[in-house]
């Protein structure tokens, strides 16, 4: 299970390399502990667009369990432009699809997370930043 992680905005891949467990940064960010965010991003994109692209690795997952990936542009656009009802429906469908006995994502957490990541995606163009995510899954 993922111990820690966050979606965040950064100028570029080089800037995104500075994040990770125990490092501090001043990028706008949304924590995403307790999930596999790459799987979540893939599912959100499928639910919101009907397509499935692969997140681009900035730091590929290695034996240490740490990775950083760039959120696909198509998902960023979908998150930024989807209405609240559509985001909520996607979040609830995602939570239901990935929840397993003893490893459940609450509907409230799912909706809150998707709405907060949507807000990041919406603000990225104004700030000339890209959306990334890092997580640590030992």
């Amino acid at each position: 299970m993922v111990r820690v992680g966050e979606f965040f905005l950064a100028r570029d891949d080089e800037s995104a390399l500075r994040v990770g467990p125990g490092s501090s940064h001043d990028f706008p960010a949304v924590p995403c502990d307790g999930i596999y965010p790459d799987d979540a991003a893939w599912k959100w994109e499928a639910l919101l667009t009907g397509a499935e692209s692969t997140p681009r690795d900035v730091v590929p997952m290695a034996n240490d369990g740490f990775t950083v990936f760039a959120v696909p542009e198509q998902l960023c656009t979908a998150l930024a432009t989807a209405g609240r009802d559509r985001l909520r429906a996607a979040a609830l469908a995602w939570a239901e699809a990935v929840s397993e006995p003893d490893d459940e994502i609450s509907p409230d957490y799912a909706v809150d997370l998707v709405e907060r990541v949507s807000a990041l995606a919406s603000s990225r163009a104004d700030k000339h930043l890209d959306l990334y995510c890092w997580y640590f899954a030992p």
Side-chain angles (χ1 to χ4, degrees):
M1 178 59 68
V2 172
R3 299 285 186 213
V4 293
E6 65 185 356
F7 287 91
F8 65 97
L9 297 177
R11 283 186 316 277
D12 50 33
D13 289 1
E14 188 175 317
S15 298
L17 292 172
R18 296 184 298 155
V19 302
S23 67
S24 66
H25 60 77
D26 59 354
F27 301 129
V30 172
C32 59
D33 302 347
I35 66 164
Y36 289 101
D38 50 351
D39 291 343
W42 174 79
K43 185 67 174 172
W44 297 344
E45 186 176 30
L47 290 165
L48 291 170
T49 71
E52 299 173 2
S53 53
T54 303
R56 181 178 54 78
D57 287 334
V58 175
V59 176
M61 177 76 69
N63 290 339
D64 63 358
F66 177 75
T67 189
V68 178
F69 66 88
V71 176
E73 182 65 32
Q74 187 168 327
L75 175 55
C76 290
T77 301
L79 286 166
T81 60
R84 186 167 189 215
D85 289 343
R86 189 151 182 227
L87 287 173
R88 181 175 175 74
L92 293 173
W94 164 63
E96 184 177 332
V98 299
S99 289
E100 298 176 6
D102 299 326
D103 191 17
E104 194 173 292
I105 297 172
S106 80
D108 289 340
Y109 176 74
V111 170
D112 181 61
L113 178 61
V114 171
E115 287 178 345
R116 292 175 68 202
V117 174
S118 171
L120 270 182
S122 296
S123 70
R124 73 188 183 89
D126 294 339
K127 297 177 181 185
H128 305 288
L129 301 171
D130 292 316
L131 184 58
Y132 294 89
C133 184
W134 70 266
Y135 72 94
F136 179 61

